[in-house]
Amino acid sequence: MKRNYPSVFMLAALAFAMTACDNEEIPVPPSYSDQYIEFGAPSIHVEAETKTGPVEQLPDGSSFGVLGYCLAQTAPDNETLNPASGNQIWANKKQLCYPEVFYKQEVKYENGTCTYAPLEKWYEQKDYNYSFFAYYPFGDDKGFTVTTGEKELGAPKVKFSIPFSSTDENTPLDDTQVPDAMVAQEIDVVRNTGQVQLNFLHILTGLNFQVNNYNATESGDPGKSVTIHSLKLKGKFYKSVEINFDSGYDFPDETFYGTYTILGDEDGDDVTIGGLESVSAIGDKTLLLVSNLNKTSATDGYLGQLTLYIEYTLGEGGTRTTKPLTRPENFLPAGGTIYTAQLNFIGDSFVLNFVVDNDQKWENGGDSDITFE
C-alpha cells in the first residue's frame, strides 16, 4: 500500500514553528545606547564657482523631513524586527526595511544647529548601519508629500509638486511661492560617525534671463540701444516630480497653466541696454521649474508647452514691438542646473539661446550625486 509522507519543506516549516515556541529562540530586541541621533548643519551641493542661487544654505527657521532606517523585518509577512540585520549594508537589507527609526520626522534648522523632538537614541550595537533620507522644505503646504507608508518595505519615495493648479495660461503666477526643492541621503551610517551630515541636492531647473545687445556701427562703435518693456513666460508647465531613492526620478502627467512675469508692464520697469552692452538677471529673479525628462517632442518640451513674450523698442523713437518666442529644439534642461535664457539682439532681430549659468550653477551637468541603487 502506498503511503503519503510529509515533504522536506513541510518538516522544515514544522520545525521552525516548534522552535519559535521556545522563548529562548525568539530574537531579543536590541538595546539602546545612551547616545542620541543628532544631525549636523546640512550642506547644499553647489559647484565651486557658484556665487548666487535661490538657496545656498538653509534659511534660519526652516526645516526638513527625515525618514530613517536600520533594522529589517524578519520576513515579508513578519513585521518582527530582526536584530541580526543591523550590521548589514542598506543594499542588502532594504527590501525588508521600513522607516522604523524616523518617519516624516521634522528637523528644524536655526543658527547652524539642527533640532528635533522627541529625540531618538542609537542602538547599543556600534556596527549597526543606518540610512537616512531627507527632503526640503518640510510642511503640509511646502510641496513635498511622502508617498511611502509608515510600514512600507523598500527604499522611500517622495513627491514634490509646484503649488499651482490653474487651467488658464493668463493666470498670474507668483514665482516666490515655488520653494527650492531638495533631497538628500546618507547611507550606512554607524553610531561612532557622530552627527549625521546631510548633503542636499537641488531637483528643480532654474531659469533666469539676460539681454545682450550686439548692435554696432560700421566703425565698430556702439549702435542702437534696445529697451525691454516686459518679459513674460506663459503656457503649460509641468507640476510634479517623484523621487524613488532606489530607482530614480519619474514625472506624473500633471500640469498647470499660467504666466510668470519676469519684467512688468509699468514704464518704471523698463530696462535699456546700450549698443555692445549686456544686462544680466533681467527682473532679478530665477524661475524654478520642473524639467520633465519623459517629454521630448517638439510640442511638449522638457519644461512644458511655453512661449516667451518680449515687448521691446529698438533705438530711440523706434516702434514698440511684441515678439513671441518658443524654446530652441536643442534645449534639453536638466534638473539641478540653472540656465540663462540669452536674448541676443543683432540688427533689427534677435536670437534666443540657452546656456548653463556658470555663476549660478548648482550641479555639474544637472544630474544630482544621489546614486539610485
Side-chain angles (χ1 to χ4, degrees):
M1 182 176 65
K2 183 177 180 181
R3 295 187 179 183
N4 293 323
Y5 292 95
S7 70
V8 174
F9 296 105
M10 291 177 63
L11 290 172
L14 180 61
F16 178 82
M18 292 177 64
T19 55
C21 293
D22 187 347
N23 289 335
E24 293 182 358
E25 297 299 325
I26 296 176
V28 178
S31 58
Y32 289 94
S33 71
D34 58 358
Q35 292 180 297
Y36 291 105
I37 299 174
E38 297 180 346
F39 293 91
S43 60
I44 297 177
H45 184 78
V46 293
E47 294 299 310
E49 68 270 25
T50 296
K51 299 176 183 177
T52 59
V55 171
E56 289 185 8
Q57 64 181 29
L58 296 189
D60 284 345
S62 64
S63 59
F64 55 90
V66 175
L67 294 97
Y69 298 73
C70 182
L71 299 179
Q73 65 182 45
T74 303
D77 57 351
N78 185 347
E79 293 185 2
T80 303
L81 294 175
N82 181 7
S85 66
N87 60 4
Q88 295 180 22
I89 63 173
W90 172 250
N92 292 343
K93 65 183 177 182
K94 60 187 177 182
Q95 292 84 357
L96 289 176
C97 284
Y98 62 85
E100 40 93 21
V101 179
F102 293 117
Y103 182 67
K104 297 197 293 189
Q105 175 63 58
E106 180 181 13
V107 179
K108 298 179 180 179
Y109 176 80
E110 189 76 43
N111 296 324
T113 301
C114 291
T115 59
Y116 69 93
L119 292 173
E120 293 286 340
K121 291 181 177 180
W122 301 95
Y123 288 120
E124 184 64 42
Q125 290 78 354
K126 294 182 179 180
D127 63 345
Y128 274 11
N129 285 310
Y130 296 73
S131 293
F132 301 94
F133 304 87
Y135 52 96
Y136 170 91
F138 177 89
D140 293 337
D141 58 346
K142 301 297 184 180
F144 267 107
T145 303
V146 176
T147 56
T148 290
E150 191 168 2
K151 290 295 183 72
E152 184 175 342
L153 302 181
K157 301 179 289 293
V158 296
K159 177 182 177 182
F160 175 79
S161 298
I162 291 177
F164 303 131
S165 57
S166 171
T167 57
D168 182 357
E169 71 170 18
N170 294 312
T171 300
L173 301 175
D174 183 359
D175 61 282
T176 65
Q177 298 301 306
V178 182
D180 188 4
M182 296 182 286
V183 293
Q185 69 178 24
E186 193 65 21
I187 304 298
D188 294 332
V189 179
V190 296
R191 176 158 66 95
N192 287 345
T193 301
Q195 291 184 327
V196 178
Q197 298 292 335
L198 294 169
N199 183 23
F200 279 94
L201 304 166
H202 303 269
I203 64 173
L204 298 180
T205 297
L207 187 62
N208 54 34
F209 300 84
Q210 174 181 335
V211 176
N212 302 314
N213 184 358
Y214 292 112
N215 282 318
T217 64
E218 293 184 0
S219 62
D221 294 328
K224 291 181 180 180
S225 64
V226 60
T227 299
I228 309 300
H229 305 293
S230 75
L231 190 62
K232 298 181 179 182
L233 185 65
K234 65 167 55 179
K236 180 178 72 174
F237 298 83
Y238 298 117
K239 182 179 178 69
S240 303
V241 54
E242 295 176 338
I243 300 102
N244 182 318
F245 285 91
D246 188 37
S247 59
Y249 299 100
D250 197 13
F251 302 89
D253 190 18
E254 299 173 357
T255 60
F256 64 93
Y257 291 75
T259 299
Y260 285 110
T261 298
I262 297 100
L263 195 67
D265 299 309
E266 303 295 330
D267 290 338
D269 294 335
D270 289 355
V271 175
T272 298
I273 303 95
L276 301 180
E277 293 181 358
S278 298
V279 173
S280 300
I282 293 288
D284 194 27
K285 62 181 63 178
T286 298
L287 302 183
L288 297 176
L289 309 172
V290 170
S291 181
N292 186 335
L293 303 182
N294 293 339
K295 301 290 186 178
T296 58
S297 69
T299 302
D300 290 327
Y302 282 152
L303 297 179
Q305 190 174 348
L306 307 176
T307 302
L308 181 66
Y309 290 89
I310 178 172
E311 188 174 3
Y312 67 97
T313 299
L314 186 62
E316 295 185 7
T319 302
R320 190 161 174 152
T321 304
T322 299
K323 179 92 171 178
L325 295 169
T326 56
R327 68 177 178 90
E329 290 190 9
N330 60 349
F331 178 46
L332 307 176
T337 302
I338 298 180
Y339 296 87
T340 293
Q342 295 181 333
L343 296 128
N344 301 315
F345 281 81
I346 304 172
D348 294 334
S349 62
F350 57 86
V351 176
L352 178 63
N353 187 38
F354 290 87
V355 298
V356 173
D357 191 324
N358 289 326
D359 286 337
Q360 293 191 331
K361 186 167 61 175
W362 287 324
E363 312 292 347
N364 185 12
D367 293 331
S368 75
D369 287 345
I370 286 183
T371 301
F372 299 104
E373 299 172 341

